[in-house]
Amino acid sequence: MLYKRILLKLSGEALMGEKQYGIDPKRLSEYAEEIKEVVAMGVEVAIVIGGGNIFRGLAGSSEGMDRVQADHMGMLATVINGLALQSALELKGVQTRLQSAIQINEVAEPFIRRRALRHLEKGRVVIFGGGTGNPYFTTDSAAVLRAIEIEANVILKGTRVDGIYTSDPEKDKTATKFDSITFKDVLTKGLKVMDTTAFTLSQENELPIVVFDMNKKGNLIKLVSGENIGTVVNL
């Protein structure tokens, strides 16, 4: 395997599938199947999911809500998505643990780094919910932070496009894809990979990011096997 331990970052919107909001059970099952196959190959998998399919804190605050309250609602939405993915994985026989940055002891373990590492070593998929536990930080920042803490080899950012382009490929038909790009060039060209806080944290800790299309069946397996899938951001 190209990577021994990965942090998979999924957006909440990815779970909507063809729906306008909420969770699409079909899409959830497809993701669970992909993750199961990667785990069976011996890769240690941790996951961070966004909550945008249920509630986005920034959107709530733009409508007049208190930003801190809105962000806490968004964090709880990520726990809901974590529970959904946990259920889908366990239905397929994959052992999982859900850890939350916000204490919700009835449904999730608190985030404890050493415990998370032990779960990964035992082959369990660890899902991190609740973001960083702090307002004003995105789930991108949570993904990078957790990846550094668990000493992941890479962050795999699953999106609906197959990598990083010179411009939005859904709007610009002339956009060209990068197979690889440096952190410096991403910033220089003003490309959007993650929010600035998350991206800078990843750069400072020399943690590579791979942006790829999670919705194409088999891509995750190909990626961890070493095939040239998506765009690699590295030093």
Side-chain angles (χ1 to χ4, degrees):
M1 294 298 100
L2 183 61
Y3 306 111
K4 172 62 177 171
R5 180 177 293 164
I6 65 172
L7 188 295
L8 177 63
K9 169 62 170 64
L10 299 173
S11 68
E13 287 89 340
L15 299 186
M16 292 192 301
E18 302 302 319
K19 295 178 177 287
Q20 298 300 310
Y21 62 89
I23 299 169
D24 179 1
K26 182 174 180 291
R27 174 60 52 81
L28 196 64
S29 179
E30 289 170 352
Y31 283 176
E33 188 62 38
E34 295 271 311
I35 294 163
K36 176 185 177 180
E37 291 182 28
V38 169
V39 172
M41 295 164 74
V43 179
E44 296 173 5
V45 181
I47 304 170
V48 170
I49 315 179
N53 57 320
I54 299 171
F55 188 86
R56 187 180 292 280
L58 198 58
S61 66
S62 69
E63 296 293 328
M65 288 186 69
D66 176 78
R67 175 64 189 271
V68 175
Q69 292 283 81
D71 279 356
H72 278 120
M73 291 172 69
M75 290 178 216
L76 293 172
T78 70
V79 176
I80 293 172
N81 284 338
L83 285 166
L85 183 58
Q86 180 180 42
S87 177
L89 285 165
E90 290 186 343
L91 282 171
K92 294 183 182 295
V94 180
Q95 286 195 329
T96 69
R97 291 294 186 273
L98 174 61
Q99 293 196 342
S100 173
I102 300 173
Q103 287 203 23
I104 318 176
N105 296 332
E106 286 75 15
V107 297
E109 295 179 359
F111 170 68
I112 299 172
R113 176 178 176 269
R114 286 180 180 272
R115 186 179 289 178
L117 289 169
R118 186 68 176 139
H119 290 323
L120 290 167
E121 289 164 0
K122 287 187 172 183
R124 298 166 183 152
V125 173
V126 181
I127 304 166
F128 298 118
T132 65
N134 302 289
Y136 297 98
F137 288 91
T138 66
T139 48
D140 277 349
S141 292
V144 176
L145 179 62
R146 295 291 180 251
I148 295 165
E149 288 177 309
I150 65 168
E151 301 171 7
N153 304 126
V154 67
I155 295 175
L156 305 182
K157 183 168 183 180
T159 66
R160 62 185 183 185
V161 292
D162 61 345
I164 300 170
Y165 284 75
T166 51
S167 58
D168 188 343
E170 295 180 348
K171 297 176 181 176
D172 182 3
K173 299 301 179 185
T174 64
T176 55
K177 177 175 168 281
F178 296 99
D179 288 330
S180 64
I181 189 169
T182 65
F183 284 99
K184 183 179 178 181
D185 283 346
V186 168
L187 294 171
T188 303
K189 297 176 187 295
L191 304 174
K192 186 67 177 172
V193 177
M194 288 181 166
D195 69 83
T196 308
T197 303
F199 192 75
T200 303
L201 186 62
S202 186
Q203 181 182 21
E204 288 176 349
N205 287 275
E206 301 181 8
L207 180 65
I209 303 166
V210 181
V211 179
F212 74 108
D213 183 359
M214 181 68 183
N215 295 336
K216 186 173 181 180
K217 184 174 174 56
N219 265 2
L220 184 60
I221 298 150
K222 290 176 183 176
L223 208 164
V224 298
S225 298
E227 290 192 34
N228 187 20
I229 300 292
T231 302
V232 182
V233 184
N234 214 331
L235 294 177

